[in-house]
């Protein structure tokens, strides 16, 4: 189901808690606290939901925190796309806390969310202990060499992590650092 802005006011707990809905895509929406509460409550009740995409919605951090409560109390969701939401460090910090709890997320898209080295380091902390992620896209952010190195060091350290895809394009990583780090991963 793709829900447009005009339909957003009618989205309710009943729609999201339907046992027949496996995928929900919300694009280009204004997601405030009230809408976040409705979505969060619905998601936490919908045990069949496997895919959630909230793209390009520029979610305020207080609404984002509410939304994550439902998202990560859900034990069946496998794919989350939060691309292009300007989450910044605060959003990545909140997400990282949630990722410590949820062990079913396999794919996470954080493309273009304006986080930097500190956000990358925060994600790196989670990557040291996470065992479910198979795909992570952190491209088009403000990650520089140190943040990139933190992420890759965590991946190397966590032998139980089965990460198959790491999206890094359009960050500020020097080619030499990239080559060195990727060579080190291949050696492990």
């Amino acid at each position: 189901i793709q829900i447009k802005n005009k339909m957003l006011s009618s989205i309710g707990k009943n729609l999201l808690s339907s046992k027949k809905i496996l995928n929900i895509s919300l694009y280009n929406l204004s997601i405030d606290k009230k809408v976040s509460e409705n979505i969060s409550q619905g998601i936490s009740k919908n045990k069949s939901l496997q895919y959630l995409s909230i793209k390009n919605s520029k979610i305020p951090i207080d609404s984002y925190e509410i939304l994550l409560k439902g998202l990560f109390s859900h034990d069946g969701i496998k794919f989350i796309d939060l691309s292009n939401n300007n989450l910044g460090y605060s959003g990545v910090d909140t997400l990282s806390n949630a990722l410590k709890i949820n062990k079913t997320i396999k794919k996470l898209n954080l493309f273009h969310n304006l986080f930097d080295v500190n956000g990358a380091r925060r994600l790196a902390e989670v990557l040291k202990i996470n065992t479910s992620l198979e795909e992570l896209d952190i491209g088009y952010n403000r990650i520089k060499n140190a943040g990139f190195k933190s992420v890759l060091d965590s991946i190397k350290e966590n032998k139980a992590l089965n990460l198959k895809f790491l999206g890094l394009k359009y960050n500020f990583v020097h080619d030499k650092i990239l080559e060195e780090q990727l060579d080190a991963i291949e050696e492990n």
Side-chain angles (χ1 to χ4, degrees):
I1 293 177
Q2 183 174 349
I3 299 168
K4 304 266 185 193
N5 266 343
K6 17 184 165 164
M7 296 169 53
L8 192 58
S9 60
S10 66
I11 197 172
K13 298 173 201 162
N14 293 334
L15 174 64
L16 288 175
S17 62
S18 166
K19 297 198 183 323
K20 295 181 180 181
I21 296 177
L22 300 175
N23 304 318
I24 296 176
S25 297
L26 306 169
Y27 297 103
N28 243 357
L29 302 174
S30 297
I31 298 180
D32 60 15
K33 276 186 174 181
K34 179 135 179 79
V35 171
S36 291
E37 287 169 2
N38 285 342
I39 293 171
S40 180
Q41 289 171 6
I43 288 170
S44 66
K45 291 177 185 176
N46 183 334
K47 299 304 176 190
S48 62
L49 185 65
Q50 294 180 13
Y51 173 95
L52 179 67
S53 176
I54 303 175
K55 286 183 178 182
N56 206 32
S57 292
K58 312 299 184 251
I59 306 167
I61 191 63
D62 57 344
S63 298
Y64 179 66
E65 289 171 352
I66 293 166
L67 186 62
L68 281 180
K69 286 180 186 171
L71 250 166
F72 289 97
S73 65
H74 188 287
D75 61 357
I77 207 157
K78 299 204 180 348
F79 179 86
I80 298 175
D81 185 349
L82 295 170
S83 60
N84 211 27
N85 279 309
N86 296 340
L87 299 177
Y89 173 78
S90 301
V92 171
D93 183 52
T94 302
L95 176 67
S96 295
N97 289 331
L99 278 173
K100 287 180 180 178
I101 298 165
N102 184 291
K103 305 294 184 199
T104 62
I105 307 277
K106 293 189 179 300
K107 297 178 184 179
L108 179 61
N109 186 350
L110 298 175
F111 187 86
H112 198 250
N113 271 293
L114 302 178
F115 62 91
D116 59 10
V117 63
N118 294 320
R121 285 181 178 144
R122 190 67 180 93
L123 273 175
E125 290 173 23
V126 172
L127 290 173
K128 287 180 183 178
I129 59 171
N130 184 283
T131 58
S132 65
L133 273 178
E134 294 176 0
E135 295 183 21
L136 174 63
D137 193 341
I138 54 174
Y140 208 116
N141 285 290
R142 297 176 176 167
I143 302 170
K144 296 183 180 175
N145 295 336
F148 172 70
K149 187 173 179 332
S150 294
V151 168
L152 288 183
D153 285 347
S154 294
I155 292 168
K156 285 187 285 189
E157 183 180 316
N158 184 350
K159 302 295 182 200
L161 182 63
N162 190 22
L163 198 65
K164 298 172 185 167
F165 173 81
L166 177 62
L168 296 166
K169 65 182 174 183
Y170 306 121
N171 278 297
F172 302 100
V173 179
H174 296 295
D175 289 343
K176 182 181 177 188
I177 301 293
L178 179 64
E179 287 174 22
E180 288 171 2
Q181 291 296 312
L182 293 177
D183 287 344
I185 286 178
E186 284 180 10
E187 289 173 12
N188 288 335

